[in-house]
Amino acid sequence: GEDSRSFHVSTQGTPPGMASTREIPIITAVAGGQLLLECPEGAEPHPNIEWHREDSLLQENARRQILAQGRFLQLLAVAAADGGEYSCRATSAAGDSGPRVRVQVHG
């Protein structure tokens, strides 16, 4: 099925540039800045949510934090290597890739 919910993205620093390609939002991040991606809310109570980049499961590290049981993905000190397609997936929704957003890093 289709999911019509959209990402809510907030950045610190330069406002993001947004465009749409094949219905996947494109977020422009500034190198060295911060980026916060929000996964649209699903069923209540919130299921466990996984974040993926280019279809690979993301793990937390010094620059990447998963907040609020997976609802938010925060990237600190954004680098060019952080660019790519991100998606969030409720672990109870097997096989469903969920909403996606593409991040482009400039600067």
Coordinates of all heavy atoms in Angstrom, one line a residue:
G1 N 0.8 -1.2 0.0 CA 0.0 0.0 0.0 C 0.9 1.3 0.0 O 2.1 1.2 0.0
E2 N 0.2 2.4 -0.1 CA 0.9 3.6 -0.1 C 0.8 4.3 1.2 O -0.2 4.2 1.9 CB 0.4 4.5 -1.2 CG 0.6 4.0 -2.6 CD 0.2 5.0 -3.7 OE1 -0.3 6.1 -3.3 OE2 0.3 4.6 -4.8
D3 N 1.8 5.1 1.6 CA 1.8 5.8 2.8 C 1.9 7.3 2.5 O 2.9 7.7 1.9 CB 3.0 5.4 3.7 CG 2.9 6.0 5.1 OD1 2.2 7.0 5.3 OD2 3.5 5.5 6.0
S4 N 0.9 8.1 2.8 CA 0.8 9.5 2.4 C 1.4 10.4 3.4 O 1.5 11.6 3.2 CB -0.6 9.9 2.1 OG -1.4 9.8 3.3
R5 N 1.9 9.9 4.5 CA 2.5 10.7 5.6 C 3.8 11.3 5.1 O 4.5 10.6 4.3 CB 2.6 10.0 6.9 CG 1.3 9.6 7.5 CD 1.4 8.7 8.7 NE 1.8 7.4 8.2 CZ 2.1 6.4 9.0 NH1 2.0 6.5 10.3 NH2 2.4 5.2 8.5
S6 N 4.2 12.4 5.6 CA 5.4 13.0 5.1 C 6.4 13.2 6.3 O 6.0 13.2 7.4 CB 5.2 14.4 4.5 OG 4.6 15.3 5.4
F7 N 7.6 13.4 6.0 CA 8.6 13.6 7.0 C 8.6 15.1 7.5 O 8.3 16.0 6.7 CB 10.1 13.4 6.5 CG 10.4 11.9 6.4 CD1 10.1 11.2 5.3 CD2 11.0 11.3 7.5 CE1 10.5 9.9 5.3 CE2 11.4 10.0 7.5 CZ 11.1 9.3 6.3
H8 N 8.8 15.3 8.8 CA 9.0 16.6 9.3 C 10.4 16.8 9.6 O 10.9 16.0 10.5 CB 8.1 16.8 10.6 CG 6.7 16.6 10.3 ND1 5.9 17.5 9.7 CD2 5.9 15.5 10.6 CE1 4.6 17.0 9.6 NE2 4.6 15.8 10.1
V9 N 11.1 17.7 9.0 CA 12.6 17.8 9.2 C 12.9 19.2 9.7 O 12.3 20.2 9.3 CB 13.3 17.6 7.8 CG1 14.8 17.8 8.0 CG2 13.0 16.2 7.3
S10 N 13.7 19.2 10.8 CA 14.2 20.5 11.3 C 15.7 20.5 11.3 O 16.3 19.4 11.5 CB 13.6 20.7 12.7 OG 14.1 19.8 13.6
T11 N 16.3 21.6 10.9 CA 17.7 21.7 10.9 C 18.1 22.9 11.8 O 17.4 23.8 12.1 CB 18.3 21.9 9.5 OG1 17.7 23.1 9.0 CG2 17.9 20.8 8.6
Q12 N 19.4 22.8 12.2 CA 20.0 23.9 12.9 C 21.0 24.6 12.0 O 21.8 23.9 11.4 CB 20.6 23.5 14.2 CG 19.6 22.9 15.2 CD 20.3 22.5 16.5 OE1 21.5 22.5 16.6 NE2 19.5 22.0 17.4
G13 N 20.9 25.9 11.8 CA 21.8 26.6 10.9 C 21.0 27.0 9.6 O 19.9 27.4 9.7
T14 N 21.6 26.7 8.5 CA 21.0 27.1 7.2 C 19.7 26.3 6.9 O 19.7 25.1 7.1 CB 22.0 26.9 6.1 OG1 23.2 27.5 6.4 CG2 21.5 27.4 4.7
P15 N 18.7 27.0 6.5 CA 17.4 26.3 6.2 C 17.6 25.3 5.1 O 18.4 25.5 4.2 CB 16.5 27.4 5.8 CG 17.0 28.7 6.3 CD 18.5 28.5 6.4
P16 N 16.9 24.2 5.2 CA 17.1 23.1 4.1 C 16.5 23.5 2.8 O 15.5 24.3 2.8 CB 16.4 21.9 4.7 CG 15.4 22.5 5.6 CD 16.0 23.8 6.2
G17 N 17.0 23.1 1.7 CA 16.4 23.2 0.4 C 15.6 21.9 0.2 O 16.1 20.8 0.4
M18 N 14.4 22.0 -0.3 CA 13.6 20.8 -0.5 C 13.1 20.8 -1.9 O 12.8 21.8 -2.5 CB 12.4 20.9 0.5 CG 12.8 20.9 1.9 SD 11.6 20.3 3.1 CE 11.1 18.7 2.5
A19 N 13.1 19.6 -2.4 CA 12.6 19.3 -3.8 C 12.0 17.9 -3.7 O 12.2 17.2 -2.8 CB 13.7 19.4 -4.8
S20 N 11.3 17.6 -4.8 CA 10.6 16.3 -4.8 C 11.0 15.5 -6.1 O 11.0 16.1 -7.2 CB 9.1 16.5 -4.8 OG 8.5 15.2 -4.8
T21 N 11.5 14.3 -5.9 CA 11.9 13.5 -7.0 C 11.2 12.1 -6.8 O 11.5 11.5 -5.8 CB 13.4 13.3 -7.1 OG1 14.0 14.6 -7.2 CG2 13.8 12.4 -8.3
R22 N 10.4 11.7 -7.7 CA 9.7 10.4 -7.6 C 9.0 10.3 -6.2 O 9.0 9.2 -5.6 CB 10.6 9.3 -7.9 CG 11.1 9.2 -9.3 CD 11.8 7.9 -9.6 NE 12.7 7.5 -8.5 CZ 14.0 7.8 -8.5 NH1 14.6 8.4 -9.5 NH2 14.8 7.3 -7.5
E23 N 8.4 11.4 -5.7 CA 7.7 11.4 -4.5 C 8.6 11.1 -3.2 O 8.1 10.9 -2.2 CB 6.5 10.4 -4.5 CG 5.5 10.8 -5.6 CD 4.3 9.9 -5.6 OE1 4.1 9.2 -4.6 OE2 3.5 9.9 -6.5
I24 N 9.9 11.1 -3.4 CA 10.8 11.0 -2.2 C 11.3 12.4 -1.9 O 12.0 13.0 -2.8 CB 12.0 10.0 -2.5 CG1 11.4 8.6 -2.8 CG2 12.9 10.0 -1.3 CD1 12.5 7.6 -3.2
P25 N 11.0 12.9 -0.8 CA 11.5 14.2 -0.4 C 13.0 14.3 -0.4 O 13.7 13.3 0.0 CB 10.9 14.5 1.0 CG 9.9 13.5 1.2 CD 10.2 12.3 0.3
I26 N 13.6 15.4 -0.9 CA 15.0 15.6 -0.8 C 15.3 16.7 0.2 O 14.8 17.8 0.1 CB 15.6 16.0 -2.2 CG1 15.3 14.8 -3.2 CG2 17.1 16.3 -2.1 CD1 15.8 15.1 -4.6
I27 N 16.2 16.4 1.1 CA 16.6 17.3 2.2 C 18.0 17.7 1.9 O 18.9 16.8 1.7 CB 16.5 16.6 3.6 CG1 15.1 16.0 3.8 CG2 16.9 17.7 4.7 CD1 14.0 17.0 3.7
T28 N 18.3 19.0 1.9 CA 19.7 19.4 1.7 C 20.2 19.8 3.1 O 19.7 20.7 3.7 CB 19.8 20.6 0.7 OG1 19.2 20.3 -0.5 CG2 21.2 21.1 0.5
A29 N 21.3 19.1 3.5 CA 22.0 19.4 4.7 C 23.3 20.1 4.5 O 23.9 19.9 3.4 CB 22.2 18.1 5.5
V30 N 23.7 20.9 5.5 CA 25.0 21.6 5.4 C 26.0 20.8 6.1 O 25.8 20.4 7.3 CB 24.9 23.0 5.9 CG1 26.2 23.7 5.9 CG2 23.8 23.8 5.2
A31 N 27.2 20.5 5.5 CA 28.3 19.8 6.1 C 28.7 20.5 7.4 O 28.8 21.7 7.5 CB 29.5 19.7 5.2
G32 N 28.8 19.7 8.5 CA 29.2 20.2 9.8 C 28.0 20.6 10.6 O 28.2 20.9 11.8
G33 N 26.8 20.7 10.1 CA 25.6 21.0 10.8 C 25.0 19.8 11.4 O 25.5 18.7 11.4
Q34 N 23.7 20.0 11.9 CA 23.0 18.9 12.5 C 21.7 18.7 11.7 O 21.2 19.6 11.0 CB 22.6 19.3 13.9 CG 23.7 19.4 14.9 CD 23.3 19.7 16.3 OE1 22.1 19.3 16.7 NE2 24.1 20.2 17.1
L35 N 21.2 17.5 11.7 CA 20.0 17.1 10.9 C 19.2 16.2 11.8 O 19.7 15.3 12.4 CB 20.4 16.4 9.6 CG 19.3 16.0 8.7 CD1 18.6 17.3 8.2 CD2 19.8 15.2 7.5
L36 N 17.9 16.5 11.9 CA 17.0 15.7 12.7 C 15.8 15.2 11.8 O 15.1 16.0 11.2 CB 16.4 16.5 13.8 CG 15.4 15.8 14.8 CD1 16.2 14.8 15.6 CD2 14.7 16.8 15.7
L37 N 15.7 13.9 11.6 CA 14.7 13.3 10.8 C 13.7 12.7 11.7 O 14.0 12.1 12.7 CB 15.3 12.2 9.9 CG 16.4 12.6 8.9 CD1 16.9 11.4 8.1 CD2 15.9 13.7 8.0
E38 N 12.4 12.9 11.3 CA 11.3 12.4 12.2 C 10.5 11.3 11.4 O 10.1 11.6 10.2 CB 10.3 13.5 12.6 CG 9.2 13.0 13.4 CD 8.2 14.1 13.9 OE1 8.5 15.3 13.6 OE2 7.2 13.7 14.5
C39 N 10.3 10.2 12.0 CA 9.5 9.1 11.4 C 8.1 9.4 11.7 O 7.7 9.6 12.8 CB 9.9 7.8 11.9 SG 9.2 6.4 11.0
P40 N 7.2 9.4 10.7 CA 5.8 9.7 11.0 C 5.3 8.6 12.0 O 5.7 7.5 12.0 CB 5.1 9.5 9.6 CG 6.2 9.7 8.6 CD 7.4 9.2 9.3
E41 N 4.4 9.1 12.8 CA 3.8 8.2 13.9 C 3.0 7.1 13.3 O 2.3 7.3 12.3 CB 2.9 9.0 14.8 CG 3.7 10.0 15.7 CD 2.8 10.6 16.8 OE1 2.2 9.8 17.5 OE2 2.8 11.8 16.9
G42 N 3.1 5.9 13.8 CA 2.4 4.8 13.4 C 1.3 4.4 14.4 O 0.7 5.3 15.0
A43 N 1.1 3.2 14.6 CA 0.1 2.7 15.5 C 0.4 3.0 16.9 O 1.6 3.2 17.3 CB -0.1 1.2 15.3
E44 N -0.6 3.1 17.8 CA -0.3 3.3 19.2 C -0.5 2.0 19.9 O -1.4 1.2 19.6 CB -1.4 4.3 19.8 CG -1.3 5.7 19.2 CD -0.1 6.5 19.7 OE1 0.4 6.1 20.8 OE2 0.3 7.5 19.1
P45 N 0.3 1.6 20.9 CA 1.5 2.3 21.3 C 2.6 2.2 20.2 O 2.5 1.4 19.3 CB 1.9 1.6 22.6 CG 1.4 0.2 22.4 CD 0.2 0.4 21.6
H46 N 3.6 3.1 20.3 CA 4.6 3.1 19.3 C 5.3 1.8 19.2 O 5.8 1.3 20.2 CB 5.6 4.3 19.5 CG 5.0 5.6 19.5 ND1 4.3 6.1 18.4 CD2 5.0 6.6 20.5 CE1 3.9 7.3 18.7 NE2 4.3 7.7 19.9
P47 N 5.4 1.2 18.0 CA 6.2 0.0 17.8 C 7.7 0.4 17.9 O 8.1 1.6 17.8 CB 5.8 -0.5 16.5 CG 5.5 0.7 15.7 CD 4.8 1.7 16.7
N48 N 8.6 -0.6 18.0 CA 10.0 -0.3 17.8 C 10.3 0.1 16.4 O 9.8 -0.6 15.5 CB 10.8 -1.5 18.2 CG 10.8 -1.8 19.7 OD1 10.7 -0.9 20.5 ND2 10.8 -3.1 20.0
I49 N 11.0 1.1 16.2 CA 11.3 1.7 14.9 C 12.7 1.5 14.5 O 13.6 1.8 15.4 CB 10.8 3.1 14.8 CG1 9.3 3.2 15.0 CG2 11.2 3.7 13.4 CD1 8.8 4.6 15.1
E50 N 13.0 1.0 13.3 CA 14.4 0.9 12.9 C 14.6 2.0 11.8 O 13.7 2.3 11.0 CB 14.7 -0.5 12.3 CG 14.6 -1.6 13.2 CD 14.8 -2.9 12.5 OE1 14.6 -3.0 11.3 OE2 15.0 -3.9 13.2
W51 N 15.8 2.5 11.7 CA 16.2 3.4 10.7 C 17.2 2.7 9.7 O 18.1 2.0 10.2 CB 16.9 4.7 11.3 CG 15.9 5.7 11.8 CD1 15.4 5.7 13.1 CD2 15.2 6.7 11.1 NE1 14.4 6.7 13.2 CE2 14.3 7.3 12.0 CE3 15.3 7.2 9.8 CZ2 13.5 8.4 11.6 CZ3 14.5 8.3 9.4 CH2 13.7 8.9 10.3
H52 N 17.0 3.0 8.5 CA 17.9 2.4 7.4 C 18.5 3.5 6.5 O 17.8 4.5 6.3 CB 17.1 1.4 6.6 CG 16.6 0.2 7.4 ND1 17.1 -1.0 7.3 CD2 15.6 0.1 8.3 CE1 16.5 -1.8 8.1 NE2 15.5 -1.2 8.7
R53 N 19.7 3.3 6.1 CA 20.3 4.2 5.1 C 20.7 3.3 3.9 O 21.4 2.4 4.1 CB 21.5 4.9 5.6 CG 22.1 5.9 4.6 CD 23.3 6.6 5.2 NE 24.1 7.1 4.1 CZ 25.0 6.4 3.4 NH1 25.2 5.2 3.7 NH2 25.7 7.0 2.4
E54 N 20.1 3.6 2.7 CA 20.4 2.8 1.5 C 20.1 1.3 1.8 O 20.9 0.4 1.5 CB 21.9 3.0 1.1 CG 22.2 4.4 0.7 CD 21.5 5.0 -0.5 OE1 20.9 4.2 -1.3 OE2 21.4 6.2 -0.6
D55 N 19.0 1.1 2.6 CA 18.5 -0.3 2.9 C 19.4 -1.0 3.9 O 19.3 -2.2 4.0 CB 18.3 -1.1 1.6 CG 17.2 -0.5 0.8 OD1 16.2 0.0 1.4 OD2 17.3 -0.5 -0.4
S56 N 20.4 -0.4 4.5 CA 21.2 -1.0 5.6 C 20.8 -0.5 6.9 O 20.6 0.7 7.1 CB 22.7 -0.7 5.3 OG 23.1 -1.3 4.1
L57 N 20.6 -1.4 7.9 CA 20.2 -1.0 9.2 C 21.2 -0.1 9.9 O 22.4 -0.3 9.8 CB 20.0 -2.2 10.1 CG 19.6 -2.0 11.5 CD1 18.2 -1.4 11.6 CD2 19.6 -3.3 12.3
L58 N 20.8 1.1 10.4 CA 21.7 2.0 11.1 C 21.8 1.7 12.5 O 20.9 1.3 13.2 CB 21.1 3.4 10.9 CG 21.2 4.1 9.5 CD1 20.5 5.4 9.6 CD2 22.6 4.2 9.0
Q59 N 23.0 1.8 13.1 CA 23.3 1.7 14.5 C 23.7 3.1 15.0 O 24.3 3.9 14.3 CB 24.4 0.7 14.7 CG 24.1 -0.7 14.2 CD 23.0 -1.4 14.9 OE1 22.7 -1.1 16.1 NE2 22.3 -2.3 14.2
E60 N 23.5 3.3 16.3 CA 23.9 4.5 16.9 C 25.4 4.6 17.0 O 26.1 3.5 17.2 CB 23.3 4.7 18.3 CG 21.8 4.9 18.3 CD 21.3 5.2 19.6 OE1 21.2 4.2 20.4 OE2 20.9 6.3 19.9
N61 N 26.0 5.8 16.9 CA 27.4 6.0 17.2 C 27.6 7.4 17.7 O 26.6 8.0 18.1 CB 28.2 5.7 15.9 CG 27.9 6.6 14.7 OD1 27.4 7.8 14.9 ND2 28.1 6.2 13.5
A62 N 28.8 7.9 17.7 CA 29.1 9.2 18.3 C 28.4 10.3 17.6 O 28.0 11.3 18.2 CB 30.6 9.5 18.3
R63 N 28.1 10.2 16.3 CA 27.5 11.2 15.5 C 26.0 10.9 15.1 O 25.3 11.8 14.5 CB 28.2 11.5 14.2 CG 29.6 12.0 14.4 CD 30.2 12.5 13.1 NE 30.1 11.5 12.0 CZ 29.2 11.6 11.0 NH1 28.5 12.6 10.9 NH2 29.2 10.7 10.0
R64 N 25.5 9.7 15.4 CA 24.2 9.3 15.0 C 23.4 8.8 16.2 O 23.9 7.8 16.8 CB 24.3 8.2 13.9 CG 23.0 7.8 13.3 CD 23.2 7.0 12.1 NE 24.2 5.9 12.3 CZ 25.1 5.5 11.4 NH1 25.3 6.2 10.3 NH2 25.9 4.5 11.7
Q65 N 22.3 9.4 16.5 CA 21.6 9.1 17.7 C 20.1 8.8 17.3 O 19.5 9.6 16.5 CB 21.6 10.1 18.8 CG 23.0 10.4 19.3 CD 23.0 11.5 20.3 OE1 22.1 12.3 20.4 NE2 24.1 11.6 21.0
I66 N 19.6 7.7 17.8 CA 18.2 7.4 17.6 C 17.4 7.7 18.9 O 17.8 7.3 20.0 CB 18.0 5.9 17.2 CG1 18.7 5.6 15.9 CG2 16.5 5.5 17.1 CD1 18.8 4.1 15.6
L67 N 16.4 8.6 18.8 CA 15.8 9.2 19.9 C 14.3 8.8 20.0 O 13.7 8.4 18.9 CB 15.9 10.7 19.9 CG 17.3 11.3 19.7 CD1 17.2 12.8 19.4 CD2 18.2 11.0 20.8
A68 N 13.7 8.9 21.2 CA 12.3 8.6 21.4 C 11.8 7.3 20.8 O 10.9 7.2 20.0 CB 11.4 9.8 20.8
Q69 N 12.5 6.2 21.1 CA 12.2 4.9 20.7 C 12.2 4.7 19.2 O 11.4 4.0 18.6 CB 10.9 4.4 21.3 CG 11.0 4.2 22.8 CD 9.6 4.5 23.5 OE1 8.8 5.2 22.9 NE2 9.5 4.0 24.6
G70 N 13.0 5.5 18.5 CA 13.2 5.4 17.1 C 12.4 6.4 16.3 O 12.6 6.5 15.0
R71 N 11.6 7.3 16.9 CA 10.8 8.2 16.2 C 11.7 9.3 15.5 O 11.4 9.8 14.4 CB 9.8 8.9 17.1 CG 9.0 9.9 16.4 CD 7.7 10.1 17.1 NE 6.9 11.1 16.3 CZ 6.2 12.0 16.8 NH1 6.1 12.1 18.1 NH2 5.5 12.9 16.0
F72 N 12.9 9.6 16.1 CA 13.8 10.6 15.5 C 15.1 10.0 15.3 O 15.6 9.2 16.0 CB 14.0 11.8 16.5 CG 12.7 12.6 16.7 CD1 11.9 12.3 17.9 CD2 12.3 13.5 15.9 CE1 10.8 13.0 18.1 CE2 11.1 14.3 16.1 CZ 10.3 14.0 17.2
L73 N 15.8 10.4 14.2 CA 17.2 10.1 13.9 C 17.9 11.4 13.8 O 17.6 12.3 13.0 CB 17.3 9.4 12.5 CG 18.7 9.1 12.1 CD1 19.4 8.2 13.0 CD2 18.7 8.6 10.7
Q74 N 18.9 11.6 14.7 CA 19.7 12.8 14.8 C 21.1 12.6 14.3 O 21.7 11.6 14.7 CB 19.7 13.4 16.2 CG 20.5 14.7 16.3 CD 20.4 15.2 17.7 OE1 20.6 14.5 18.7 NE2 20.2 16.5 17.9
L75 N 21.5 13.4 13.3 CA 22.9 13.3 12.8 C 23.6 14.6 13.2 O 23.1 15.7 13.0 CB 22.9 13.2 11.3 CG 22.1 12.1 10.6 CD1 22.1 12.2 9.1 CD2 22.7 10.7 11.1
L76 N 24.7 14.4 13.9 CA 25.6 15.5 14.4 C 26.8 15.6 13.4 O 27.3 14.6 12.9 CB 26.1 15.2 15.8 CG 24.9 14.9 16.8 CD1 25.5 14.5 18.1 CD2 24.1 16.2 17.0
A77 N 27.3 16.8 13.2 CA 28.4 17.0 12.4 C 28.3 16.3 11.1 O 29.1 15.4 10.7 CB 29.7 16.6 13.1
V78 N 27.2 16.7 10.4 CA 26.9 16.0 9.1 C 28.1 16.0 8.1 O 28.7 17.1 8.0 CB 25.7 16.7 8.5 CG1 25.4 16.1 7.1 CG2 24.4 16.5 9.4
A79 N 28.3 14.9 7.5 CA 29.4 14.8 6.5 C 28.9 14.3 5.2 O 27.8 13.8 5.1 CB 30.5 13.8 7.0
A80 N 29.7 14.4 4.1 CA 29.2 14.0 2.8 C 28.8 12.5 2.8 O 27.9 12.1 2.1 CB 30.3 14.2 1.8
A81 N 29.5 11.7 3.7 CA 29.2 10.3 3.7 C 27.8 10.0 4.3 O 27.3 8.9 4.1 CB 30.3 9.6 4.6
D82 N 27.2 11.0 4.9 CA 25.8 10.8 5.5 C 24.7 11.0 4.4 O 23.6 10.7 4.7 CB 25.6 11.8 6.6 CG 26.5 11.6 7.8 OD1 26.6 10.4 8.2 OD2 27.0 12.6 8.4
G83 N 25.1 11.4 3.2 CA 24.1 11.5 2.2 C 23.5 10.2 1.7 O 24.2 9.2 1.9
G84 N 22.4 10.2 1.2 CA 21.7 9.0 0.7 C 20.3 8.9 1.1 O 19.7 9.8 1.6
E85 N 19.7 7.7 0.8 CA 18.3 7.6 1.1 C 18.0 6.9 2.4 O 18.6 5.9 2.7 CB 17.7 6.7 0.0 CG 16.2 6.6 0.0 CD 15.6 5.9 -1.2 OE1 15.6 6.5 -2.3 OE2 15.2 4.8 -1.0
Y86 N 17.2 7.6 3.3 CA 16.9 7.1 4.6 C 15.5 6.6 4.7 O 14.6 7.2 4.0 CB 17.1 8.2 5.6 CG 18.6 8.6 5.9 CD1 19.3 9.3 5.0 CD2 19.2 8.1 7.1 CE1 20.6 9.7 5.2 CE2 20.5 8.5 7.3 CZ 21.2 9.2 6.4 OH 22.5 9.5 6.6
S87 N 15.2 5.6 5.4 CA 13.8 5.2 5.7 C 13.7 4.7 7.1 O 14.7 4.3 7.7 CB 13.4 4.1 4.7 OG 14.2 2.9 4.9
C88 N 12.5 4.8 7.6 CA 12.2 4.3 8.9 C 11.2 3.2 8.8 O 10.4 3.2 7.9 CB 11.7 5.4 9.9 SG 10.2 6.2 9.3
R89 N 11.3 2.2 9.7 CA 10.5 1.0 9.5 C 10.1 0.5 10.9 O 11.0 0.3 11.7 CB 11.3 -0.1 8.8 CG 10.7 -1.4 8.6 CD 11.6 -2.4 7.9 NE 12.1 -1.8 6.7 CZ 13.1 -2.3 6.0 NH1 13.8 -3.3 6.5 NH2 13.5 -1.7 4.8
A90 N 8.8 0.3 11.1 CA 8.4 -0.4 12.3 C 8.7 -1.8 12.3 O 8.4 -2.5 11.3 CB 6.9 -0.2 12.5
T91 N 9.3 -2.4 13.3 CA 9.8 -3.7 13.3 C 8.6 -4.7 13.1 O 8.8 -5.8 12.7 CB 10.6 -4.1 14.5 OG1 9.8 -3.8 15.7 CG2 11.9 -3.3 14.5
S92 N 7.4 -4.3 13.5 CA 6.2 -5.1 13.3 C 5.7 -5.2 11.9 O 4.9 -6.0 11.6 CB 5.1 -4.6 14.3 OG 4.8 -3.3 13.9
A93 N 6.2 -4.3 11.0 CA 5.7 -4.2 9.7 C 6.8 -4.9 8.8 O 7.5 -4.2 8.0 CB 5.5 -2.8 9.2
A94 N 6.9 -6.2 8.8 CA 7.9 -6.9 8.1 C 7.7 -6.7 6.6 O 6.6 -6.8 6.0 CB 7.8 -8.4 8.4
G95 N 8.8 -6.4 5.9 CA 8.8 -6.2 4.5 C 8.4 -4.8 4.0 O 8.5 -4.5 2.9
D96 N 7.9 -4.0 4.9 CA 7.4 -2.7 4.5 C 8.5 -1.7 4.8 O 8.9 -1.5 5.9 CB 6.1 -2.3 5.3 CG 5.6 -1.0 4.9 OD1 6.1 -0.4 3.9 OD2 4.7 -0.5 5.6
S97 N 9.0 -1.1 3.7 CA 10.2 -0.2 3.8 C 9.8 1.1 4.5 O 10.7 1.8 5.0 CB 10.8 0.1 2.5 OG 9.9 0.7 1.6
G98 N 8.5 1.5 4.5 CA 8.1 2.7 5.2 C 8.5 4.0 4.4 O 9.0 3.9 3.3
P99 N 8.1 5.1 5.0 CA 8.4 6.4 4.3 C 9.9 6.6 4.1 O 10.7 6.1 4.9 CB 7.9 7.5 5.2 CG 6.9 6.7 6.1 CD 7.4 5.3 6.2
R100 N 10.3 7.3 3.0 CA 11.7 7.5 2.7 C 12.0 9.0 2.5 O 11.1 9.7 2.2 CB 12.1 6.8 1.4 CG 12.0 5.3 1.5 CD 12.3 4.6 0.2 NE 12.3 3.2 0.3 CZ 13.4 2.4 0.6 NH1 14.6 3.0 0.6 NH2 13.3 1.1 0.7
V101 N 13.2 9.4 2.7 CA 13.7 10.7 2.5 C 15.1 10.6 2.0 O 15.9 9.7 2.4 CB 13.6 11.6 3.7 CG1 14.5 11.1 4.8 CG2 13.9 13.1 3.4
R102 N 15.5 11.5 1.0 CA 16.9 11.5 0.5 C 17.6 12.7 1.1 O 17.1 13.8 1.0 CB 16.9 11.5 -1.0 CG 18.3 11.5 -1.6 CD 18.3 11.2 -3.1 NE 17.8 9.9 -3.4 CZ 18.6 8.8 -3.3 NH1 19.8 8.9 -2.9 NH2 18.1 7.6 -3.6
V103 N 18.8 12.5 1.6 CA 19.6 13.5 2.2 C 20.7 13.8 1.3 O 21.5 12.9 0.9 CB 20.1 13.2 3.6 CG1 21.1 14.2 4.1 CG2 18.9 13.0 4.5
Q104 N 20.9 15.1 0.9 CA 22.1 15.5 0.1 C 22.8 16.5 1.0 O 22.3 17.4 1.6 CB 21.6 16.2 -1.2 CG 20.9 15.3 -2.2 CD 20.5 16.1 -3.4 OE1 20.4 17.3 -3.4 NE2 20.3 15.3 -4.5
V105 N 24.2 16.3 1.1 CA 25.0 17.1 1.9 C 25.8 18.1 1.0 O 26.5 17.6 0.1 CB 25.9 16.3 2.8 CG1 26.8 17.1 3.7 CG2 25.1 15.3 3.6
H106 N 25.8 19.3 1.3 CA 26.6 20.3 0.6 C 27.5 21.1 1.5 O 27.1 21.3 2.7 CB 25.6 21.3 -0.1 CG 24.8 20.7 -1.2 ND1 25.3 20.4 -2.4 CD2 23.5 20.3 -1.2 CE1 24.3 19.8 -3.1 NE2 23.2 19.7 -2.4
G107 N 28.6 21.6 1.0 CA 29.4 22.4 1.8 C 30.7 21.7 2.2 O 31.5 22.0 2.9

